[in-house]
Amino acid sequence: DGGITQSPKYLFRKEGQNVTLSCEQNLNHDAMYWYRQDPGQGLRLIYYSQIVNDFQKGDIAEGYSVSREKKESFPLTVTSAQKNPTAFYLCASSIEQGRNEKLFFGSGTQLSVL
Amino acid sequence: KQEVTQIPAALSVPEGENLVLNCSFTDSAIYNLQWFRQDPGKGLTSLLLIQSSQREQTSGRLNASLDKSSGRSTLYIAASQPGDSATYLCAVGGYGQNFVFGPGTRLSVLP
């Protein structure tokens, strides 16, 4: 079945530590996205990528980094510079960015600080 | 900058009732609007995508309408069931821009 796989489901970060969230898709989509969800708030865009080896900052990119070395993969690193990382992180994909195509989401990663 | 709101934040209804969820946006120059469902601790599932040229879109018991001039969309759920309990989010897409999400409405359908 085609879809988006996020791992791990739960992740704990110690102070000063960088952690990486995995996102893999087999939908053959060009565009991939990372969102952050806090309780009672809408999703906020962290980074997005339209094609391999290219990505752009979203609304809240500070303290995060990404890479897009393969079409299928778009990992997100939460760096120690992100002072409030506790949130639910969602990865999504669409056929093409900018045409507002239907978004497909993974099942999310809950990140907490120890 | 586009802003999206959803009222109410939470809603409880008895099973079988028809209900309407609201989504408001500040910039009417939109390309399309998407409604999603989110179960607790899970990702989002797209329910309906309605283009700016459309007035409404239907899927089963769900009907989404769009009124760009007033900056509003509604999601109508007919004959609600306990399995409909979830958070419903709307997202507004601008021309060549990424979707902007509302905070969602948490729906509880009581047996």
Side-chain angles (χ1 to χ4, degrees):
Chain A
D1 288 338
I4 300 178
T5 301
Q6 288 188 243
S7 61
K9 186 170 178 60
Y10 300 98
L11 187 58
F12 298 92
R13 193 191 87 167
K14 297 179 181 178
E15 192 170 340
Q17 184 182 42
N18 294 348
V19 293
T20 297
L21 285 61
S22 172
C23 178
E24 303 276 334
Q25 56 102 355
N26 61 3
L27 298 168
N28 199 33
H29 286 172
D30 285 322
M32 297 187 74
Y33 311 82
W34 274 105
Y35 291 92
R36 170 178 171 143
Q37 186 176 33
D38 294 281
Q41 296 189 34
L43 276 65
R44 292 183 289 169
L45 183 63
I46 304 172
Y47 269 98
Y48 63 100
S49 169
Q50 300 177 68
I51 56 173
V52 174
N53 293 323
D54 184 58
F55 48 83
Q56 285 79 41
K57 293 181 179 180
D59 300 320
I60 56 165
E62 186 174 350
Y64 300 97
S65 66
V66 294
S67 63
R68 186 87 185 274
E69 297 177 0
K70 299 186 300 181
K71 186 175 185 178
E72 301 80 14
S73 179
F74 191 41
L76 173 74
T77 296
V78 183
T79 74
S80 58
Q82 172 51 244
K83 298 307 180 186
N84 184 24
T86 297
F88 191 54
Y89 291 86
L90 288 159
C91 178
S93 71
S94 65
I95 294 174
E96 192 175 322
Q97 189 273 341
R99 290 178 55 190
N100 303 116
E101 302 284 348
K102 184 176 175 180
L103 284 174
F104 293 80
F105 281 84
S107 56
T109 293
Q110 176 65 50
L111 176 61
S112 303
V113 177
L114 290 176
Chain B
K1 180 183 176 184
Q2 181 73 269
E3 293 183 3
V4 182
T5 56
Q6 293 184 249
I7 294 174
L11 179 65
S12 288
V13 300
E15 181 178 4
E17 194 164 293
N18 301 327
L19 59 99
V20 173
L21 306 180
N22 297 297
C23 172
S24 297
F25 46 93
T26 54
D27 185 351
S28 62
I30 69 169
Y31 187 73
N32 56 18
L33 186 146
Q34 197 163 171
W35 281 95
F36 295 88
R37 170 187 171 133
Q38 185 178 29
D39 293 295
K42 299 292 177 67
L44 279 66
T45 300
S46 180
L47 298 172
L48 290 165
L49 175 65
I50 182 166
Q51 304 295 341
S52 62
S53 59
Q54 297 176 305
R55 297 282 299 181
E56 61 180 55
Q57 190 72 254
T58 298
S59 176
R61 294 182 295 108
L62 305 179
N63 176 276
S65 68
L66 175 63
D67 184 345
K68 283 200 314 177
S69 61
S70 66
R72 291 188 60 193
S73 175
T74 60
L75 179 66
Y76 175 84
I77 303 177
S80 58
Q81 304 170 357
D84 294 329
S85 297
T87 297
Y88 291 81
L89 298 94
C90 67
V92 177
Y95 290 87
Q97 298 178 12
N98 293 303
F99 281 101
V100 177
F101 284 79
T105 293
R106 189 173 68 255
L107 173 67
S108 297
V109 181
L110 307 175

